[in-house]
Amino acid sequence: MERKVAEMAGKIKNCPVCGKLFAAMGRKMCPDCFAKEQDKEKIVIDYVRENRGAKIPEIVEATGVNETLIKRLIREGRFEQIGIKMTYPCEKCGAPIVMGKLCQTCQEKARSELQAARTKIVATMPGGGNKGKGMYSKR
Ligand SMILES: [Zn+2]
Ligand SMILES: [Zn+2]
């Protein structure tokens, strides 16, 4: 009995948009907000269809929809579906990208910086960190 209640509770979530409780069932937000979200998506796509080449700030200003939603639509390829190439700027250098937060160049740079940092850590470890462990030989 109690177990069943707990299971039920696991499926009831607070909507991240309006805070209302709703039955999750694989959904990210409550049905009301989901419907509103879909309306917004339609507004944005209609706007871009009529104003080809519009930049994200223009779309935000004209439609009142937030940037996050527009970026998500770009990542999901929703503009490509209607034959419009949309991009958003890389967070580091501003190059046009369609997925993630950074462009290819910045991604590679970040990766090699990370690798360099890692190599440094290993080099500064005393004795390579493997002495003493050899005592426990497996049988
Ligand atoms: Zn909601
Ligand atoms: Zn970049």
Side-chain angles (χ1 to χ4, degrees):
M1 177 86 178
E2 268 174 48
R3 194 188 199 131
K4 204 151 202 174
V5 173
E7 269 172 14
M8 283 284 288
K11 281 173 192 159
I12 304 290
K13 280 207 275 187
N14 275 100
C15 170
V17 183
C18 68
K20 220 163 55 182
L21 285 173
F22 73 108
M25 300 196 293
R27 273 185 295 228
K28 289 182 292 192
M29 56 185 86
C30 75
D32 286 351
C33 291
F34 184 70
K36 273 186 218 159
E37 186 93 345
Q38 284 197 313
D39 279 347
K40 285 189 206 165
E41 289 177 7
K42 200 177 169 303
I43 292 168
V44 171
I45 287 169
D46 282 348
Y47 179 81
V48 173
R49 209 199 309 255
E50 282 161 30
N51 302 271
R52 281 172 187 258
K55 299 275 187 298
I56 292 177
E58 292 168 36
I59 303 167
V60 171
E61 184 141 351
T63 62
V65 166
N66 66 30
E67 215 179 292
T68 317
L69 187 137
I70 301 169
K71 284 184 185 175
R72 181 167 58 78
L73 293 179
I74 295 173
R75 273 194 290 267
E76 287 174 357
R78 297 284 292 275
F79 297 109
E80 264 170 52
Q81 279 172 16
I82 55 165
I84 294 167
K85 191 148 176 63
M86 281 283 292
T87 58
Y88 56 90
C90 161
E91 282 186 3
K92 267 198 172 166
C93 71
I97 53 170
V98 293
M99 52 195 294
K101 286 180 178 176
L102 303 174
C103 71
Q104 200 95 30
T105 317
C106 290
Q107 256 181 53
E108 265 158 39
K109 216 182 273 174
R111 204 176 299 146
S112 61
E113 269 167 21
L114 196 76
Q115 205 123 43
R118 215 175 270 159
T119 314
K120 226 181 200 170
I121 290 166
V122 172
T124 52
M125 265 212 274
N130 57 8
K131 276 194 178 160
K133 277 186 183 159
M135 302 275 287
Y136 307 96
S137 55
K138 276 184 193 160
R139 275 194 265 179

